[in-house]
Amino acid sequence: MSTQKKALVCGAGGFIGGHLVERLKREGYWVRGVDIKMPEFRKTAADDFTQGDLRDPVLCDKITSDVKFDELYQLAADMGGAGYVFSGDHDAAIMHNSAMVNLNMAEAARKTAIGKLFYSSSACIYPERLQLDTDNHGLKESDAYPAGPDSEYGWEKLFSERLYGSYARNYGMEVHVARFHNIFGPYGTWEGGREKAPAAMCRKVAETPEGGTIEMWGDGEQTRTFLYVDECLEGVRRLMNSDVSDPVNIGSDELISINDLAKMAMSFDSKNITIKHIPGPIGVRGRSSDNTYIQQRLGWRPTSKLVDGMRETYKWIAEQVAQKKAGA
Ligand code: NAD
């Protein structure tokens, strides 16, 4: 009998899911990817790819029942950057679509007795009241309660953390949950309104000639930490191989303002560009990851430097911008 491990990756057409499939293939897994859309920027590395809607429970049963999976990674979610999540216009869709996917996948995993399940939660579950200053000292896992996320996206994530936690308690499932803090890197959405700050800054700088102007929502003093996708996945794999069942931060603690993030992007092409601040959705004032718990439990924490990941991301986005311009 084959000893090759089998993994199911939901959200494999997306940014982190696509990188996760690559990583699992490198580790020797047989991988099935599932997503409502095909990967946008490169061919999937999955052995098998099902294009379908995980809001449909029949599809969820189908993709989990013909293969005995050792591991399930549930990353599918209706999400986007600040422009999508914080405008308020997509609240009902975010709540409905992501909760449906999670309810279906929890149930499908229970029925087919999947070995272990990973769920990608978010730093957006943390209470708004702890993120009112730009000088954020890091959010600890225990800060999640009393709950008070600033977006419906955060509330749905909190609901689904609890959903998988209750399946673990009541049905003896092995569940691992990470709270991702702003993951970035190549092969992610870089235009169209769902892109996050690192990709948005790289695109704006790459599109703008020396001496030009870019627009930025808010005063740019709001702070965040950003984690390069490879290191995020190192954390995910370590978490899956651990006995940690409660939610764990996977994020960087290198705090930067969005103004400085834009300047970092400018530095790769030595461009001088003016930032024009305009009103727009910005989310909380400051957010960082406290990595004490992950260090304690996994003996590991993210250590890569933001500038290194940003350089790789800028390179890839500048290529996309150039290709688009050439094709226009
Ligand atoms: P992404 O949008 O690139 O990937 C999510 C994928 O889910 C998309 O490809 C989308 O098509 C798919 N999807 C959505 N609804 C679906 C449905 N009904 N059926 C099938 N597929 C569906 O996002 P990402 O950045 O790769 O994020 C992956 C996960 O990590 C998400 O759960 C997200 O909430 C979480 N997360 C990401 C970040 C980040 O900074 N990227 C931060 C915190 C949490």
Side-chain angles (χ1 to χ4, degrees):
M1 230 173 74
S2 165
T3 54
Q4 188 181 30
K5 283 200 176 167
K6 297 189 176 66
L8 176 62
V9 178
C10 298
F15 164 53
I16 304 174
H19 282 273
L20 176 61
V21 170
E22 299 259 340
R23 163 98 195 211
L24 292 170
K25 283 306 300 167
R26 280 202 302 278
E27 288 189 37
Y29 280 71
W30 184 90
V31 182
R32 169 176 287 165
V34 190
D35 203 297
I36 201 165
K37 66 173 173 71
M38 295 302 288
E40 228 173 304
F41 306 112
R42 58 179 168 174
K43 201 174 157 294
T44 181
D47 298 279
D48 175 87
F49 195 97
T50 303
Q51 190 173 3
D53 190 341
L54 293 164
R55 288 172 299 183
D56 173 6
V58 177
L59 176 88
C60 296
D61 284 346
K62 189 161 172 270
I63 56 166
T64 46
S65 54
D66 62 336
V67 173
K68 177 78 189 126
F69 286 105
D70 301 286
E71 297 175 11
L72 160 61
Y73 294 83
Q74 199 324 71
L75 286 87
D78 188 5
M79 64 144 350
Y84 187 75
V85 169
F86 300 118
S87 68
D89 297 341
H90 310 284
D91 287 351
I94 288 171
M95 291 288 246
H96 178 267
N97 294 340
S98 296
M100 288 278 281
V101 170
N102 286 310
L103 287 162
N104 288 342
M105 286 313 299
E107 197 49 18
R110 179 191 69 78
K111 284 196 253 178
T112 53
I114 274 174
K116 325 179 179 187
L117 186 148
F118 171 82
Y119 173 60
S120 54
S121 182
S122 165
C124 289
I125 62 100
Y126 287 112
E128 186 174 16
R129 63 178 181 277
L130 301 178
Q131 305 172 75
L132 301 176
D133 294 323
T134 53
D135 183 21
N136 190 290
H137 295 295
L139 295 156
K140 296 190 292 293
E141 285 78 355
S142 56
D143 287 333
Y145 297 98
D150 70 328
S151 64
E152 302 309 335
Y153 170 75
W155 279 107
E156 190 284 326
K157 288 286 184 196
L158 208 50
F159 162 76
S160 291
E161 280 191 3
R162 301 189 69 93
L163 171 76
Y164 289 112
S166 54
Y167 268 66
R169 282 193 308 282
N170 294 167
Y171 301 127
M173 280 167 50
E174 184 177 333
V175 166
H176 302 277
V177 177
R179 292 176 181 155
F180 292 161
H181 290 241
N182 296 312
I183 313 304
F184 75 102
Y187 305 105
T189 305
W190 58 277
E191 64 173 349
R194 285 191 188 231
E195 66 278 17
K196 310 279 188 54
M201 291 309 132
C202 290
R203 172 179 53 79
K204 288 177 188 200
V205 170
E207 283 173 348
T208 307
E210 166 68 19
T213 301
I214 59 171
E215 291 188 338
M216 184 189 289
W217 288 333
D219 64 6
E221 293 303 316
Q222 66 272 28
T223 55
R224 293 291 186 277
T225 63
F226 300 96
L227 183 67
Y228 194 60
V229 63
D230 289 357
E231 226 182 7
C232 164
L233 294 178
E234 181 64 29
V236 170
R237 295 291 299 127
R238 284 174 184 260
L239 185 60
M240 275 299 254
N241 290 326
S242 77
D243 60 359
V244 181
S245 53
D246 42 347
V248 179
N249 285 334
I250 295 189
S252 159
D253 51 12
E254 188 184 340
L255 201 66
I256 188 168
S257 72
I258 306 301
N259 282 329
D260 286 343
L261 188 69
K263 286 179 198 154
M264 189 182 274
M266 292 175 207
S267 74
F268 301 131
D269 262 346
S270 308
K271 280 186 181 172
N272 279 307
I273 290 175
T274 305
I275 302 173
K276 182 181 170 204
H277 297 282
I278 57 166
I282 56 167
V284 295
R285 197 66 183 143
R287 171 179 291 155
S288 177
S289 176
D290 182 308
N291 292 337
T292 313
Y293 188 63
I294 193 169
Q295 178 71 51
Q296 260 172 17
R297 297 300 309 273
L298 301 185
W300 176 91
R301 63 164 72 198
T303 51
S304 66
K305 290 269 152 271
L306 175 63
V307 68
D308 295 329
M310 275 294 279
R311 194 178 292 108
E312 291 303 310
T313 308
Y314 183 79
K315 210 168 94 188
W316 181 77
I317 290 178
E319 279 166 21
Q320 307 308 303
V321 169
Q323 275 170 22
K324 195 172 170 186
K325 212 169 151 191

